[in-house]
Amino acid sequence: MAGIVVGVDGSGHSRKALARAAAEAAAHGAPLTVLVIHQAVRDVYGSPSHYQWDASETAKVKEAAQAETDEVIAALDAKPTSVTVTSVHGLPADELIKASQDADMLVLGRRGAGGFARLLMGSVSDQVARYAHCPVLIVPHDE
């Protein structure tokens, strides 16, 4: 996933991150990869669990992310050279850190769809910022 990778989860914060990542990709002539993660449940050993319906649920989140991406890209003046929407089943922080290994930059919203609105930064953004293998841009919601 060379180029710019943006993590989306359907929240307002991730929509802002998607718009910023697309603008950065257009400005730098870099490909944009939109990564959406169907969140797995941790098993007793801390690894992601896999169930028979995971593939269909992962496909559904990809469809939603594709629709949101198309809408955001259509509203931009300058478009990225290429846009790819990818979906995976796993643990969000782990999958984003894995995606950062080949990326030039990783873009995230400050917070995601989690339930603790008073936090300054979400737990996934915090973990990814600490352990990513490339520069991380965390976009504030009020930008």
Side-chain angles (χ1 to χ4, degrees), residues 30-99:
L32 176 66
T33 300
V34 179
L35 180 61
V36 61
I37 299 143
H38 173 248
Q39 185 163 344
V41 176
R42 288 187 190 268
D43 64 18
V44 296
Y45 302 106
S47 300
S49 295
H50 298 280
Y51 297 99
Q52 63 190 17
W53 56 83
D54 288 336
S56 65
E57 292 300 316
T58 302
K60 285 180 189 176
V61 297
K62 181 178 181 179
E63 287 176 26
Q66 183 69 59
E68 181 179 31
T69 300
D70 292 344
E71 190 177 305
V72 168
I73 298 295
L76 294 175
D77 293 330
K79 313 271 190 258
T81 56
S82 71
V83 179
T84 305
V85 177
T86 303
S87 64
V88 296
H89 173 76
L91 302 172
D94 294 351
E95 294 299 330
L96 288 163
I97 292 166
K98 188 186 315 178

